[in-house]
Each structure stands twice: as C-alpha cells, then as structure tokens.
Amino acid sequence: MRYGEKKRRYRDASVAGRYERVRFSGLLGGVKAARDERLVLGLLAEPGDVRTVLDLPCGTGRLLEPLRRAGFRVVGADVSTQMMAAGPAPGAPGDLGRVQADAERLPFADASLDAVVSLRFLFHVDEPAARERVLRELGRVARRRVVVQERDRSTPRGRRRARAAGARGERGRAAPTRDEVADELARCGLRLVR
C-alpha cells in the first residue's frame, strides 16, 4: 500500500479503533511498546536538554503518557483525527494537546519544540520527495533533536523482511542501509547520530 493510501486508511474510524489492540496488545505487542518507550526516553535523556516533545504521528497516543510521566511537556500530532480520538483525551499536566497535521507541512514555528519523535512512520513514506519533505519538516520544528525509526536492510532482520516481502510479491520502497539513511538525513539538513 502506497503512502497516500495509508494516509487515507488511518482516517478510517474502524482502523483507528482497533489499531492499538492489533499492534501493541498481547505479549509481543507489549514487548514492542516497552522497547520503544525505553529507546525514546533514553535518547531524549541524552544530554538532558529536552523539555518539549512533539510525537508525530502520535496515532492513539501510546508514547504521550510515558513521555509526560518522564517529565516532558508533550504535544501529539497526526493526520488522522480518528486515530487521536481513539486514544486518551489530552488534559493531564504536561500534555500540550493534539493537533491534526500532515507531516509534510507541520503547523509549528521553526525550532518551536526541543525534540520530535517519529516512530513506526518513516518506513511508510515510500515516495522520495515526500520523505524529504517530512524529514525537513521534522528538522525545521526541532530545536535540539529528531528521533526517527527506520528499518535497516543491512541487519539480519531487515534482510529477512525484504526476502519475505519479495516472496509475497509486495512492491514499494526497500528498507535502506545505514549509509543510505545517513545520506538521506544529510540531504535534509540532519545528521545521523545513532
């Protein structure tokens, strides 16, 4: 499924309603969610100069509460109001709210947030020009750091995924290597740190 189709799909209330249950419930889903939380909190804690965080796309908000509990002031943004409505309502201390936003055109001022977190998203953006717009936007609004998750073709798991997708006849963007990610980030004014 292409990026534009995915954007439309996540605006479907039935998809939003079951997203959390399908993706992050059960033993494996819980392990994935806990791993993501540890990773993000660890990266944002270094060197400790981050106070405000944008979670994009925030989906149902699974990272917002752990970020808030860790002392960050958080705002969630997503193209899908349906996904955001399926999650917890904003309003807790440290919660700056939710914003409907397309990742290619964020409604935030330059350097208006200390960090942007974008998990389980970039690998869906299979159009090179759209990926560049997204990465440039993340860098534009982040004052200190951008945390993105990308699949890596050079890992054993990445090679298995690529073989399995090919065997199923799936098309789309192949997962990049680490060097390709670094080059892409550099073209967008970002630097791969880890």
Side-chain angles (χ1 to χ4, degrees), residues 106-129:
L106 294 173
F108 302 102
D110 295 356
S112 58
L113 298 142
D114 293 327
V116 177
V117 172
S118 185
L119 294 191
R120 300 183 182 277
F121 172 62
L122 197 57
F123 51 78
H124 291 296
V125 186
D126 56 1
E127 301 162 8

Side-chain angles (χ1 to χ4, degrees), residues 41-180:
L41 293 175
L43 291 170
L44 293 178
E46 301 170 4
D49 57 355
V50 172
R51 289 176 185 76
T52 57
V53 178
L54 169 63
D55 180 13
L56 173 85
C58 67
T60 57
R62 72 182 178 90
L63 287 176
L64 296 174
E65 177 60 21
L67 287 166
R68 199 182 57 71
R69 274 195 323 263
F72 298 107
R73 296 177 54 221
V74 298
V75 61
D78 202 294
V79 71
S80 171
T81 56
Q82 294 81 356
M83 289 291 284
M84 291 185 289
D95 190 330
L96 301 176
R98 308 289 177 277
V99 176
Q100 182 180 21
D102 188 313
E104 296 176 55
R105 293 175 302 283
L106 294 173
F108 302 102
D110 295 356
S112 58
L113 298 142
D114 293 327
V116 177
V117 172
S118 185
L119 294 191
R120 300 183 182 277
F121 172 62
L122 197 57
F123 51 78
H124 291 296
V125 186
D126 56 1
E127 301 162 8
R131 284 176 62 84
E132 183 170 322
R133 286 189 297 271
V134 168
L135 288 168
R136 287 187 184 281
E137 279 296 277
L138 300 182
R140 181 184 67 77
V141 301
R143 188 176 15 252
R144 304 211 186 285
R145 79 184 56 124
V146 174
V147 176
V148 295
Q149 178 185 39
E150 177 60 281
R151 292 182 173 149
D152 183 346
R153 179 174 71 228
S154 59
T155 65
R157 184 172 187 207
R159 289 189 295 273
R160 282 192 308 273
R161 278 182 186 265
R163 282 192 304 273
R168 291 189 301 267
E170 292 178 7
R171 292 195 182 123
R173 184 179 168 277
T177 65
R178 181 182 176 87
D179 289 341
E180 289 168 340

